[in-house]
Coordinates of all heavy atoms in Angstrom, one line a residue:
M35 N 89.8 111.3 91.2 CA 90.2 110.6 92.4 C 91.3 109.6 92.0 O 91.0 108.8 91.1 CB 89.1 109.9 93.1 CG 89.5 109.1 94.3 SD 88.1 108.2 95.1 CE 87.4 109.5 96.1
T36 N 92.4 109.6 92.6 CA 93.5 108.6 92.3 C 93.2 107.3 93.1 O 92.3 107.3 94.0 CB 94.8 109.2 92.7 OG1 94.9 109.2 94.2 CG2 95.1 110.5 92.1
D37 N 93.9 106.3 92.7 CA 93.7 105.0 93.4 C 94.1 105.2 94.8 O 93.5 104.6 95.7 CB 94.6 103.9 92.7 CG 94.0 103.5 91.4 OD1 92.9 103.8 91.1 OD2 94.8 102.9 90.6
A38 N 95.2 106.0 95.1 CA 95.6 106.2 96.5 C 94.5 106.9 97.3 O 94.2 106.6 98.4 CB 96.9 107.0 96.5
D39 N 93.8 107.9 96.6 CA 92.7 108.6 97.3 C 91.6 107.6 97.6 O 91.0 107.7 98.6 CB 92.2 109.7 96.4 CG 93.2 110.8 96.2 OD1 94.1 111.0 97.0 OD2 93.1 111.6 95.2
L40 N 91.3 106.7 96.6 CA 90.2 105.8 96.8 C 90.5 104.9 98.0 O 89.6 104.7 98.9 CB 90.0 104.9 95.5 CG 89.0 103.7 95.6 CD1 87.6 104.2 95.9 CD2 89.1 102.9 94.4
L41 N 91.7 104.3 98.0 CA 92.0 103.4 99.2 C 92.0 104.2 100.5 O 91.5 103.7 101.5 CB 93.4 102.8 99.0 CG 93.5 101.8 97.8 CD1 94.9 101.3 97.7 CD2 92.5 100.7 97.8
C42 N 92.5 105.4 100.5 CA 92.4 106.2 101.7 C 91.0 106.5 102.1 O 90.7 106.4 103.3 CB 93.2 107.6 101.4 SG 93.3 108.6 102.9
S43 N 90.1 106.8 101.2 CA 88.7 107.0 101.5 C 88.0 105.8 102.1 O 87.1 105.8 102.8 CB 87.9 107.6 100.3 OG 87.7 106.6 99.3
L44 N 88.5 104.6 101.6 CA 87.9 103.3 102.1 C 88.6 102.8 103.4 O 88.2 101.8 104.0 CB 88.1 102.3 101.0 CG 87.4 102.5 99.7 CD1 87.7 101.5 98.7 CD2 85.9 102.6 99.9
G45 N 89.7 103.5 103.8 CA 90.4 103.1 105.0 C 91.2 101.8 104.8 O 91.4 101.0 105.7
I46 N 91.6 101.6 103.5 CA 92.4 100.3 103.2 C 93.8 100.7 103.0 O 94.2 101.6 102.3 CB 91.8 99.7 101.9 CG1 90.3 99.3 102.1 CG2 92.7 98.6 101.4 CD1 89.7 98.9 100.8
D47 N 94.7 99.9 103.7 CA 96.1 100.0 103.7 C 96.6 99.3 102.4 O 96.4 98.0 102.3 CB 96.7 99.4 104.9 CG 98.3 99.5 104.9 OD1 98.9 99.8 103.9 OD2 98.8 99.1 106.0
P48 N 97.2 99.9 101.4 CA 97.6 99.2 100.2 C 98.5 98.1 100.5 O 98.6 97.1 99.7 CB 98.2 100.3 99.4 CG 98.4 101.5 100.2 CD 97.5 101.3 101.4
S49 N 99.3 98.1 101.6 CA 100.2 97.0 101.8 C 99.5 95.7 102.2 O 100.0 94.6 102.1 CB 101.2 97.4 103.0 OG 100.5 97.4 104.2
Q50 N 98.2 95.8 102.5 CA 97.4 94.6 102.8 C 96.8 94.0 101.6 O 96.2 92.9 101.7 CB 96.3 95.0 103.8 CG 96.8 95.6 105.1 CD 97.7 94.7 105.9 OE1 97.3 93.5 106.1 NE2 98.9 95.1 106.2
L51 N 96.9 94.6 100.5 CA 96.3 94.1 99.2 C 97.3 93.2 98.5 O 98.5 93.5 98.5 CB 95.8 95.2 98.3 CG 94.8 96.2 98.9 CD1 94.6 97.3 97.9 CD2 93.5 95.5 99.2
D52 N 96.8 92.2 97.9 CA 97.7 91.3 97.1 C 98.3 92.0 95.9 O 97.6 92.7 95.2 CB 96.9 90.0 96.6 CG 96.4 89.1 97.7 OD1 97.0 89.2 98.8 OD2 95.5 88.3 97.5
P53 N 99.6 91.7 95.6 CA 100.1 92.3 94.4 C 99.4 91.8 93.2 O 99.0 90.6 93.1 CB 101.6 91.8 94.4 CG 101.8 91.4 95.8 CD 100.5 91.0 96.4
A54 N 99.2 92.6 92.2 CA 98.5 92.3 90.9 C 99.6 92.2 89.8 O 100.5 93.0 89.8 CB 97.4 93.3 90.6
P55 N 99.4 91.3 88.9 CA 100.3 91.3 87.7 C 100.0 92.4 86.8 O 99.0 93.1 86.9 CB 99.9 89.9 87.1 CG 98.4 89.8 87.4 CD 98.3 90.4 88.8
P56 N 100.9 92.6 85.8 CA 100.6 93.6 84.7 C 99.2 93.3 84.1 O 98.7 92.2 84.1 CB 101.7 93.4 83.7 CG 102.8 92.7 84.5 CD 102.1 91.9 85.5
W57 N 98.6 94.3 83.5 CA 97.2 94.2 83.0 C 97.2 93.1 81.9 O 98.1 93.0 81.1 CB 96.8 95.5 82.4 CG 95.4 95.4 81.9 CD1 94.3 95.7 82.6 CD2 94.9 95.0 80.6 NE1 93.1 95.5 81.9 CE2 93.5 95.1 80.6 CE3 95.5 94.6 79.4 CZ2 92.7 94.8 79.5 CZ3 94.7 94.3 78.3 CH2 93.3 94.3 78.4
S58 N 96.2 92.3 82.0 CA 95.9 91.4 80.9 C 94.3 91.2 80.9 O 93.7 91.4 81.9 CB 96.5 90.0 81.1 OG 95.9 89.3 82.1
P59 N 93.8 90.8 79.7 CA 92.3 90.8 79.6 C 91.6 89.8 80.6 O 90.5 89.9 80.9 CB 92.0 90.4 78.2 CG 93.3 90.2 77.5 CD 94.4 90.5 78.5
H60 N 92.4 88.7 81.0 CA 91.7 87.7 81.8 C 92.2 87.6 83.2 O 91.6 86.8 84.0 CB 92.0 86.3 81.1 CG 91.5 86.3 79.7 ND1 90.2 86.3 79.3 CD2 92.2 86.3 78.5 CE1 90.1 86.3 78.0 NE2 91.3 86.3 77.5
A61 N 93.1 88.4 83.6 CA 93.7 88.3 85.0 C 92.6 88.5 86.0 O 92.5 87.7 87.0 CB 94.8 89.3 85.2
G62 N 91.7 89.5 85.9 CA 90.7 89.7 86.9 C 89.7 88.6 86.9 O 89.2 88.2 88.0
I63 N 89.3 88.1 85.8 CA 88.3 87.0 85.7 C 88.8 85.8 86.5 O 88.0 85.2 87.2 CB 88.0 86.7 84.3 CG1 87.3 87.9 83.6 CG2 87.1 85.4 84.2 CD1 87.2 87.8 82.1
E64 N 90.0 85.5 86.3 CA 90.6 84.3 87.0 C 90.6 84.5 88.5 O 90.6 83.5 89.2 CB 92.0 84.0 86.5 CG 92.0 83.6 85.0 CD 93.4 83.6 84.4 OE1 94.4 84.0 85.1 OE2 93.5 83.3 83.2
R65 N 90.7 85.7 88.9 CA 90.7 86.0 90.4 C 89.4 85.8 91.0 O 89.3 85.6 92.2 CB 91.3 87.4 90.6 CG 91.6 87.7 92.0 CD 92.4 88.9 92.2 NE 92.5 89.3 93.6 CZ 93.4 88.8 94.4 NH1 94.3 87.9 93.9 NH2 93.5 89.1 95.7
L66 N 88.3 85.9 90.3 CA 86.9 85.9 90.9 C 86.4 84.5 91.1 O 85.4 84.1 90.5 CB 86.0 86.7 90.0 CG 86.3 88.2 89.9 CD1 85.4 88.9 89.0 CD2 86.2 88.8 91.3
D67 N 87.2 83.7 91.9 CA 86.8 82.4 92.1 C 86.1 82.2 93.5 O 85.8 81.1 94.0 CB 88.0 81.4 92.0 CG 89.1 81.8 93.1 OD1 88.8 82.7 93.9 OD2 90.1 81.2 93.0
G68 N 85.8 83.3 94.2 CA 85.1 83.3 95.5 C 86.0 83.1 96.6 O 85.6 83.0 97.8
S69 N 87.3 83.0 96.4 CA 88.3 82.7 97.5 C 88.9 84.0 98.1 O 89.5 83.9 99.1 CB 89.4 81.8 97.0 OG 90.2 82.4 96.1
H70 N 88.6 85.1 97.5 CA 89.2 86.3 98.0 C 88.1 87.2 98.7 O 87.0 87.4 98.2 CB 89.8 87.2 96.8 CG 90.9 86.4 96.1 ND1 92.1 86.3 96.7 CD2 90.9 85.7 95.0 CE1 92.9 85.5 95.8 NE2 92.1 85.2 94.8
P71 N 88.4 87.7 99.9 CA 87.4 88.4 100.6 C 87.4 89.9 100.1 O 88.3 90.4 99.6 CB 87.9 88.4 102.1 CG 89.4 88.2 101.9 CD 89.6 87.4 100.7
C72 N 86.2 90.5 100.3 CA 86.0 91.9 100.0 C 87.0 92.7 101.0 O 87.0 92.4 102.2 CB 84.6 92.3 100.3 SG 84.2 94.1 100.2
A73 N 87.7 93.6 100.4 CA 88.6 94.4 101.1 C 87.9 95.4 102.1 O 88.5 95.8 103.1 CB 89.5 95.3 100.2
C74 N 86.6 95.6 101.9 CA 85.9 96.5 102.8 C 85.2 95.8 103.9 O 85.2 96.2 105.1 CB 84.9 97.3 102.0 SG 85.5 98.2 100.7
C75 N 84.6 94.6 103.6 CA 83.7 94.0 104.7 C 84.1 92.5 104.9 O 83.5 91.9 105.9 CB 82.2 94.1 104.3 SG 81.8 93.0 102.9
G76 N 84.9 91.9 104.1 CA 85.3 90.5 104.3 C 84.4 89.5 103.7 O 84.8 88.3 103.7
Q77 N 83.3 89.8 103.1 CA 82.4 88.9 102.4 C 83.1 88.4 101.2 O 84.1 89.1 100.7 CB 81.1 89.5 102.1 CG 80.2 89.8 103.3 CD 79.8 88.6 104.1 OE1 79.3 87.6 103.5 NE2 80.1 88.6 105.4
P78 N 82.7 87.3 100.6 CA 83.4 86.9 99.3 C 83.3 88.0 98.2 O 82.2 88.5 98.0 CB 82.6 85.6 98.9 CG 82.0 85.1 100.2 CD 81.7 86.3 101.0
A79 N 84.4 88.3 97.6 CA 84.5 89.3 96.6 C 83.8 88.8 95.3 O 84.0 87.6 94.9 CB 85.9 89.7 96.3
R80 N 83.1 89.6 94.7 CA 82.5 89.3 93.4 C 82.9 90.3 92.3 O 82.5 90.2 91.1 CB 80.9 89.4 93.5 CG 80.4 88.4 94.4 CD 80.5 87.0 93.9 NE 80.0 86.0 94.8 CZ 80.7 85.0 95.2 NH1 81.9 84.7 94.8 NH2 80.2 84.1 96.1
A81 N 83.8 91.2 92.6 CA 84.4 92.2 91.7 C 85.8 92.4 92.1 O 86.1 92.4 93.3 CB 83.6 93.5 91.7
T82 N 86.6 92.6 91.1 CA 88.0 92.9 91.4 C 88.5 93.9 90.4 O 88.0 94.0 89.3 CB 88.9 91.7 91.5 OG1 90.1 92.0 92.0 CG2 89.1 91.1 90.1
G83 N 89.5 94.6 90.8 CA 90.2 95.5 89.9 C 91.6 95.8 90.4 O 91.8 95.6 91.6
A84 N 92.5 96.2 89.6 CA 93.8 96.6 90.1 C 93.9 98.1 90.3 O 93.3 98.9 89.6 CB 94.8 96.2 89.0
V85 N 94.5 98.4 91.4 CA 94.8 99.8 91.7 C 96.3 99.9 91.7 O 97.1 99.0 91.9 CB 94.3 100.2 93.1 CG1 92.8 100.2 93.1 CG2 94.8 99.3 94.2
D86 N 96.8 101.1 91.3 CA 98.2 101.4 91.2 C 98.6 102.5 92.2 O 98.2 103.7 92.0 CB 98.6 101.7 89.8 CG 100.1 101.6 89.6 OD1 100.9 101.5 90.6 OD2 100.5 101.5 88.4
V87 N 99.2 102.2 93.3 CA 99.5 103.1 94.3 C 101.0 103.4 94.4 O 101.8 102.4 94.5 CB 99.0 102.6 95.7 CG1 99.3 103.7 96.8 CG2 97.5 102.3 95.6
P88 N 101.5 104.6 94.3 CA 102.9 104.9 94.3 C 103.5 104.2 95.6 O 103.0 104.3 96.7 CB 103.0 106.4 94.4 CG 101.7 106.9 93.7 CD 100.7 105.8 94.1
G89 N 104.6 103.6 95.4 CA 105.3 102.9 96.5 C 104.9 101.5 96.7 O 105.5 100.7 97.4
Y90 N 103.7 101.1 96.1 CA 103.2 99.7 96.3 C 103.0 99.0 95.0 O 102.9 97.8 95.0 CB 101.8 99.8 97.0 CG 102.0 100.3 98.4 CD1 101.7 101.7 98.7 CD2 102.3 99.5 99.5 CE1 101.9 102.2 99.9 CE2 102.5 100.1 100.8 CZ 102.2 101.4 101.0 OH 102.4 102.0 102.2
G91 N 102.9 99.7 93.9 CA 102.7 99.1 92.6 C 101.3 98.7 92.4 O 100.4 99.1 93.2
R92 N 101.0 97.8 91.5 CA 99.7 97.3 91.2 C 99.2 96.3 92.3 O 100.0 95.4 92.6 CB 99.6 96.7 89.8 CG 99.6 97.6 88.7 CD 99.7 96.9 87.3 NE 98.7 96.0 87.1 CZ 97.5 96.2 86.6 NH1 97.2 97.4 86.3 NH2 96.6 95.3 86.4
R93 N 98.0 96.6 92.8 CA 97.5 95.7 93.8 C 96.0 95.4 93.5 O 95.3 96.2 92.9 CB 97.5 96.4 95.2 CG 98.9 96.8 95.7 CD 99.6 95.6 96.2 NE 101.0 96.0 96.6 CZ 101.5 95.5 97.7 NH1 100.9 94.7 98.5 NH2 102.8 95.8 98.0
W94 N 95.6 94.2 93.9 CA 94.2 93.8 93.7 C 93.3 94.5 94.7 O 93.6 94.5 95.9 CB 94.0 92.3 93.8 CG 94.5 91.5 92.7 CD1 95.5 90.6 92.7 CD2 94.1 91.5 91.3 NE1 95.8 90.0 91.5 CE2 94.9 90.6 90.6 CE3 93.2 92.3 90.6 CZ2 94.8 90.4 89.2 CZ3 93.1 92.1 89.2 CH2 93.9 91.1 88.6
L95 N 92.2 95.1 94.2 CA 91.2 95.6 95.1 C 89.9 94.8 94.9 O 89.2 95.0 93.9 CB 90.9 97.1 94.8 CG 89.8 97.7 95.7 CD1 90.1 97.6 97.2 CD2 89.6 99.2 95.3
D96 N 89.7 93.8 95.8 CA 88.6 92.9 95.7 C 87.4 93.4 96.5 O 87.6 93.8 97.7 CB 89.0 91.5 96.2 CG 90.2 90.9 95.5 OD1 90.2 90.9 94.3 OD2 91.1 90.5 96.2
R97 N 86.2 93.5 95.9 CA 85.1 94.0 96.7 C 83.8 93.1 96.4 O 83.7 92.6 95.3 CB 84.8 95.4 96.3 CG 85.8 96.4 96.9 CD 85.5 97.8 96.5 NE 86.0 98.1 95.2 CZ 86.0 99.3 94.6 NH1 85.4 100.3 95.2 NH2 86.5 99.4 93.4
C98 N 82.9 93.0 97.3 CA 81.6 92.4 97.1 C 80.8 93.4 96.3 O 81.2 94.6 96.3 CB 81.0 92.0 98.4 SG 80.5 93.3 99.4
M99 N 79.7 93.0 95.7 CA 78.9 93.9 94.9 C 78.3 95.1 95.7 O 78.4 96.2 95.3 CB 77.8 93.2 94.2 CG 78.2 92.5 92.9 SD 79.0 93.7 91.8 CE 79.9 92.6 90.7
P100 N 77.8 94.8 96.9 CA 77.3 96.0 97.7 C 78.4 97.0 98.0 O 78.1 98.2 97.9 CB 76.7 95.4 99.0 CG 76.3 94.0 98.6 CD 77.4 93.6 97.6
C101 N 79.5 96.5 98.4 CA 80.6 97.5 98.7 C 81.1 98.2 97.4 O 81.5 99.4 97.4 CB 81.8 96.8 99.4 SG 81.4 96.4 101.1
L102 N 81.2 97.4 96.3 CA 81.6 98.1 95.0 C 80.6 99.2 94.7 O 81.1 100.3 94.4 CB 81.6 97.0 93.9 CG 81.9 97.6 92.5 CD1 83.4 98.1 92.5 CD2 81.6 96.6 91.4
I103 N 79.3 98.9 94.8 CA 78.3 100.0 94.4 C 78.4 101.1 95.4 O 78.4 102.3 95.0 CB 76.9 99.3 94.4 CG1 76.8 98.4 93.2 CG2 75.9 100.4 94.3 CD1 75.6 97.5 93.3
A104 N 78.6 100.8 96.7 CA 78.6 101.9 97.7 C 79.9 102.7 97.6 O 79.9 103.8 98.1 CB 78.5 101.3 99.1
T105 N 81.0 102.1 97.1 CA 82.3 102.8 97.2 C 82.8 103.3 95.8 O 83.9 103.9 95.7 CB 83.4 101.9 97.8 OG1 83.5 100.8 97.0 CG2 83.0 101.6 99.2
T106 N 82.0 103.1 94.8 CA 82.4 103.6 93.4 C 82.2 105.1 93.3 O 81.0 105.5 93.5 CB 81.7 102.8 92.3 OG1 82.0 101.5 92.4 CG2 82.1 103.4 91.0
P107 N 83.2 105.8 93.1 CA 83.0 107.3 93.0 C 82.1 107.6 91.9 O 82.1 107.0 90.8 CB 84.4 107.8 92.7 CG 85.4 106.7 93.1 CD 84.6 105.5 92.9
R108 N 81.2 108.6 92.1 CA 80.3 109.1 91.1 C 80.5 110.5 90.8 O 81.1 111.2 91.7 CB 78.8 108.8 91.6 CG 78.5 107.4 91.7 CD 77.1 107.2 92.1 NE 76.7 105.8 92.1 CZ 77.0 105.0 93.1 NH1 77.7 105.4 94.1 NH2 76.7 103.7 93.0
G109 N 80.1 111.0 89.7 CA 80.3 112.4 89.4 C 81.6 112.6 88.8 O 82.3 111.7 88.4
G110 N 82.0 113.9 88.9 CA 83.3 114.2 88.3 C 83.2 114.3 86.8 O 82.2 114.0 86.2
P111 N 84.3 114.6 86.2 CA 84.3 114.7 84.7 C 84.0 113.4 84.0 O 84.6 112.4 84.5 CB 85.6 115.3 84.4 CG 86.5 115.0 85.5 CD 85.6 114.9 86.7
R112 N 83.2 113.3 83.0 CA 83.0 112.1 82.2 C 84.0 112.0 81.2 O 84.5 113.0 80.6 CB 81.6 112.2 81.6 CG 80.5 112.2 82.6 CD 79.1 112.3 82.0 NE 78.9 111.1 81.1 CZ 77.9 111.0 80.3 NH1 77.0 111.9 80.3 NH2 77.7 109.9 79.6
A113 N 84.5 110.7 80.9 CA 85.4 110.5 79.9 C 84.7 110.8 78.5 O 83.6 110.4 78.4 CB 86.0 109.1 79.9
P114 N 85.4 111.4 77.6 CA 84.8 111.6 76.3 C 84.4 110.3 75.7 O 85.1 109.3 75.8 CB 85.9 112.3 75.5 CG 86.9 112.8 76.5 CD 86.7 111.9 77.7
L115 N 83.3 110.2 75.0 CA 82.8 109.0 74.4 C 83.8 108.4 73.4 O 84.0 107.1 73.5 CB 81.5 109.2 73.6 CG 80.8 108.0 73.0 CD1 80.5 106.9 74.0 CD2 79.6 108.4 72.2
A116 N 84.4 109.2 72.6 CA 85.4 108.6 71.6 C 86.5 107.9 72.4 O 87.0 106.8 71.9 CB 85.9 109.7 70.7
E117 N 87.0 108.5 73.5 CA 88.1 107.9 74.2 C 87.6 106.6 74.9 O 88.4 105.6 74.9 CB 88.5 108.9 75.3 CG 89.7 108.4 76.1 CD 90.1 109.4 77.1 OE1 90.3 110.6 76.7 OE2 90.2 109.1 78.3
T118 N 86.4 106.6 75.4 CA 85.9 105.4 76.0 C 85.7 104.2 75.0 O 86.1 103.1 75.3 CB 84.5 105.7 76.7 OG1 84.7 106.7 77.6 CG2 84.0 104.5 77.4
V119 N 85.2 104.6 73.9 CA 85.0 103.6 72.8 C 86.4 103.0 72.3 O 86.5 101.8 72.1 CB 84.2 104.2 71.6 CG1 84.2 103.2 70.4 CG2 82.8 104.4 72.1
A120 N 87.4 103.9 72.2 CA 88.7 103.5 71.8 C 89.3 102.5 72.8 O 89.9 101.5 72.4 CB 89.6 104.7 71.6
V121 N 89.1 102.7 74.1 CA 89.6 101.8 75.1 C 88.9 100.5 75.0 O 89.5 99.4 75.1 CB 89.4 102.4 76.5 CG1 89.7 101.4 77.6 CG2 90.4 103.6 76.7
L122 N 87.6 100.5 74.8 CA 86.8 99.2 74.7 C 87.3 98.5 73.5 O 87.5 97.2 73.5 CB 85.3 99.5 74.6 CG 84.7 100.0 75.9 CD1 83.3 100.5 75.6 CD2 84.7 98.9 76.9
R123 N 87.5 99.2 72.3 CA 87.9 98.5 71.1 C 89.3 97.8 71.3 O 89.5 96.7 70.8 CB 87.9 99.5 69.9 CG 86.5 99.8 69.4 CD 86.5 100.5 68.1 NE 85.2 100.6 67.6 CZ 84.6 101.7 67.2 NH1 85.3 102.8 67.3 NH2 83.4 101.7 66.8
E124 N 90.2 98.6 72.0 CA 91.5 98.0 72.2 C 91.5 96.8 73.1 O 92.2 95.8 72.8 CB 92.4 99.1 72.8 CG 93.8 98.7 73.1 CD 94.6 98.2 71.9 OE1 94.3 98.5 70.7 OE2 95.7 97.5 72.1
A125 N 90.7 96.9 74.1 CA 90.5 95.7 75.0 C 90.0 94.5 74.3 O 90.4 93.4 74.5 CB 89.7 96.1 76.2
A126 N 89.0 94.7 73.4 CA 88.4 93.6 72.7 C 89.4 93.1 71.7 O 89.5 91.8 71.5 CB 87.1 94.1 71.9
R127 N 90.2 94.0 71.0 CA 91.2 93.5 70.1 C 92.2 92.6 70.8 O 92.5 91.5 70.4 CB 91.9 94.7 69.4 CG 92.8 94.3 68.3 CD 93.8 95.4 67.9 NE 94.6 95.9 69.0 CZ 95.7 95.2 69.4 NH1 96.1 94.1 68.9 NH2 96.4 95.7 70.4
E128 N 92.7 93.1 72.0 CA 93.7 92.3 72.7 C 93.1 91.0 73.2 O 93.8 90.0 73.3 CB 94.2 93.1 73.9 CG 95.1 94.3 73.5 CD 95.6 95.0 74.8 OE1 95.7 94.4 75.8 OE2 96.0 96.2 74.6
A129 N 91.8 91.0 73.6 CA 91.2 89.7 74.0 C 90.8 88.8 72.9 O 90.4 87.7 73.1 CB 89.9 90.1 74.9
G130 N 90.8 89.4 71.6 CA 90.5 88.6 70.5 C 89.0 88.3 70.4 O 88.6 87.2 69.9
V131 N 88.2 89.2 70.8 CA 86.7 89.0 70.8 C 86.1 90.1 69.9 O 86.6 91.2 69.7 CB 86.1 89.1 72.2 CG1 86.6 87.9 73.0 CG2 86.3 90.4 72.8
A132 N 85.0 89.7 69.3 CA 84.2 90.6 68.5 C 83.5 91.6 69.4 O 83.0 91.2 70.4 CB 83.3 89.9 67.5
L133 N 83.3 92.8 69.0 CA 82.7 93.8 69.9 C 81.8 94.7 69.0 O 82.2 95.2 68.0 CB 83.7 94.6 70.6 CG 83.2 95.8 71.5 CD1 82.5 95.2 72.7 CD2 84.4 96.6 71.9
T134 N 80.6 94.8 69.5 CA 79.6 95.8 68.9 C 79.3 96.8 69.9 O 78.9 96.5 71.0 CB 78.3 95.1 68.4 OG1 78.7 94.1 67.4 CG2 77.4 96.1 67.8
I135 N 79.5 98.0 69.6 CA 79.2 99.1 70.6 C 78.1 100.0 70.0 O 78.1 100.4 68.9 CB 80.5 100.0 70.7 CG1 81.6 99.2 71.3 CG2 80.2 101.2 71.7 CD1 83.0 99.9 71.3
R136 N 77.1 100.1 70.9 CA 75.9 101.0 70.5 C 75.8 102.1 71.5 O 75.9 101.8 72.7 CB 74.7 100.2 70.5 CG 74.6 99.2 69.4 CD 73.3 98.5 69.2 NE 73.4 97.6 68.1 CZ 72.8 96.4 68.1 NH1 72.1 96.0 69.2 NH2 72.9 95.6 67.1
T137 N 75.6 103.3 71.1 CA 75.5 104.4 72.0 C 74.2 105.1 71.7 O 73.7 105.0 70.6 CB 76.7 105.4 72.0 OG1 76.6 106.1 70.8 CG2 78.0 104.6 72.1
D138 N 73.8 106.0 72.6 CA 72.6 106.8 72.2 C 73.1 108.2 71.8 O 72.3 109.1 71.6 CB 71.7 107.0 73.4 CG 72.4 107.6 74.7 OD1 73.6 107.9 74.6 OD2 71.7 107.8 75.7
T139 N 74.4 108.3 71.5 CA 74.9 109.6 71.0 C 75.0 109.5 69.5 O 75.6 108.5 69.0 CB 76.3 109.8 71.6 OG1 76.2 109.9 73.0 CG2 76.9 111.1 71.1
P140 N 74.5 110.5 68.8 CA 74.5 110.4 67.3 C 76.0 110.6 66.8 O 76.8 111.1 67.4 CB 73.7 111.5 66.8 CG 73.3 112.4 68.0 CD 73.7 111.6 69.2
Ligands
LIG28 ZN1 82.1 94.1 100.9

C-alpha cells in the first residue's frame, strides 16, 4: 500500500496535511507536543509520521493511538529481517544512540 493509497483509504485529502521537512531522527518527536489533531478523528495526536504523496511531497500524518491502531495496514509481505535490522542500525547511527537488537530468529 502506498502512502497515497493509505490516505485515500482513510478519506484524507493530502492537501489538508501540514508539509513535513526532510527526514531527520527527531522531527517526529518534536511534533508530538499534543497541539496537532488526529487526521482521522480530531483528538490530540499521539503518533505521527510523514507520508510522501506525488504532487504534494512529504506531509505529516498525525493520528491518535486508537486511530493509528485501527488504520495501520496489516498483512502483506513482511520486510526481510536483515533489511529491517539494517534500517534500525542506520537510524541509530544517525541519531548517535547505542542500539541492541534482539530477535527470535537464529
Ligand atoms: Zn484519531
Side-chain angles (χ1 to χ4, degrees):
M35 176 181 283
T36 67
D37 290 343
D39 293 338
L40 173 62
L41 294 182
C42 184
S43 72
L44 299 175
I46 297 173
D47 179 352
S49 70
Q50 301 300 308
L51 301 176
D52 293 341
W57 185 89
S58 75
H60 303 291
I63 294 170
E64 294 167 358
R65 189 169 174 82
L66 294 175
D67 60 3
S69 67
H70 299 282
C72 173
C74 302
C75 72
Q77 294 296 309
R80 297 291 178 232
T82 192
V85 292
D86 197 344
V87 180
Y90 296 94
R92 287 173 52 86
R93 301 285 177 135
W94 288 118
L95 177 56
D96 306 310
R97 287 178 277 183
C98 67
M99 279 303 162
C101 287
L102 175 69
I103 293 168
T105 60
T106 298
R108 292 180 176 80
R112 296 177 61 185
L115 180 60
E117 181 178 310
T118 302
V119 169
V121 169
L122 290 171
R123 285 192 172 126
E124 178 63 15
R127 187 194 62 75
E128 288 184 25
V131 298
L133 177 68
T134 300
I135 299 172
R136 293 189 179 139
T137 71
D138 60 358
T139 302

